[in-house]
Amino acid sequence: MVKINGNEVRPGNIIEHKGSLWSVVKLRHVKPGKGGAFAQVELKSVLDGTKLNERFRSSQTIERVRLEQKKCQFLYADGDMLNFMDKESFEQVSLGSELVGESVAYLLEGMEVSLESYEGRFVGIELPDQVTLEVKETEPFIKGQTAASSNKPALLENGVRVMVPPFVSVGDKVIVDTRDGNYIRPAE
């Protein structure tokens, strides 16, 4: 474990807090008019999924957990179970979809991911930062429509809705950020 200051915690970090493992989900730095600045952090328990909101001051010391990472390939989903293959030993690993959370929508067959474990127990998954998906539904492009930043909703092949620029149409492939679900750019 590595000791870090309260203001060095980042979303995606796994920390030990109150005798348990927690994943940092959201982070907001707050600078009140009186008193010192602090980080308002939303934590999710790695073990049971419960949530907790905490304030960490920069003077606090937090234990950041080092996770072992194993490169795997996503094979398929079978109900609530996700099946992966270890890229080195070709061993198959099955994990519950609750471990992946909302990111499960971005898992594509054949995708390379990193399975994270702590003391031999799988605690998380790291997806690529970007994924290419096809647009299945969206409003048609209207020629002469203002070029202002007026995005329109689109339904992607994975069932996720995302806001895209007006020029994107059905059948186009777009690149989406897996961390926040936002449109990045059209795929080449």
Side-chain angles (χ1 to χ4, degrees):
M1 283 190 253
V2 179
K3 291 188 183 283
I4 59 173
N5 291 333
N7 61 346
E8 294 175 346
V9 71
R10 299 285 177 258
N13 288 161
I14 305 290
I15 63 171
E16 187 171 326
H17 181 64
K18 296 184 177 179
S20 187
L21 290 181
W22 300 87
S23 173
V24 178
V25 180
K26 292 181 185 173
L27 171 77
R28 190 176 63 124
H29 290 283
V30 180
K31 236 178 156 176
K34 268 186 157 180
F38 60 88
Q40 182 70 39
V41 182
E42 182 180 314
L43 302 171
K44 183 178 179 183
S45 173
V46 170
L47 304 175
D48 61 12
T50 57
K51 291 196 175 181
L52 176 69
N53 285 309
E54 286 288 336
R55 287 183 179 183
F56 295 130
R57 300 210 176 273
S58 60
S59 59
Q60 275 182 280
T61 306
I62 298 165
E63 299 273 345
R64 181 172 170 210
V65 178
R66 292 249 180 213
L67 300 175
E68 293 177 36
Q69 294 197 327
K70 184 185 282 192
K71 293 282 185 204
C72 292
Q73 181 179 14
F74 176 63
L75 298 176
Y76 61 93
D78 184 17
D80 283 345
M81 297 304 290
L82 305 172
N83 297 287
F84 300 89
M85 180 181 64
D86 186 321
K87 298 278 282 183
E88 293 175 11
S89 68
F90 303 107
E91 196 177 304
Q92 286 196 16
V93 179
S94 293
L95 301 175
S97 59
E98 71 279 350
L99 185 69
V100 182
E102 295 173 3
S103 299
V104 72
Y106 297 106
L107 275 174
L108 302 171
E109 288 183 18
M111 177 184 279
E112 188 174 301
V113 299
S114 290
L115 295 182
E116 300 172 324
S117 63
Y118 179 69
E119 296 180 349
R121 181 172 184 225
F122 288 106
V123 294
I125 185 171
E126 188 177 303
L127 297 175
D129 292 342
Q130 301 173 355
V131 65
T132 303
L133 297 165
E134 185 178 335
V135 175
K136 289 295 181 189
E137 288 179 21
T138 191
E139 299 167 6
F141 176 66
I142 301 168
K143 192 169 178 144
Q145 189 176 20
T146 178
S149 63
S150 56
N151 289 343
K152 61 183 182 178
L155 180 67
L156 303 176
E157 66 182 280
N158 62 350
V160 173
R161 290 201 176 277
V162 66
M163 297 302 284
V164 296
F167 61 82
V168 174
S169 58
V170 174
D172 289 354
K173 293 202 179 263
V174 296
I175 298 176
V176 178
D177 191 321
T178 59
R179 296 165 293 191
D180 58 16
N182 289 331
Y183 166 87
I184 297 175
R185 66 180 185 276
E188 279 99 46

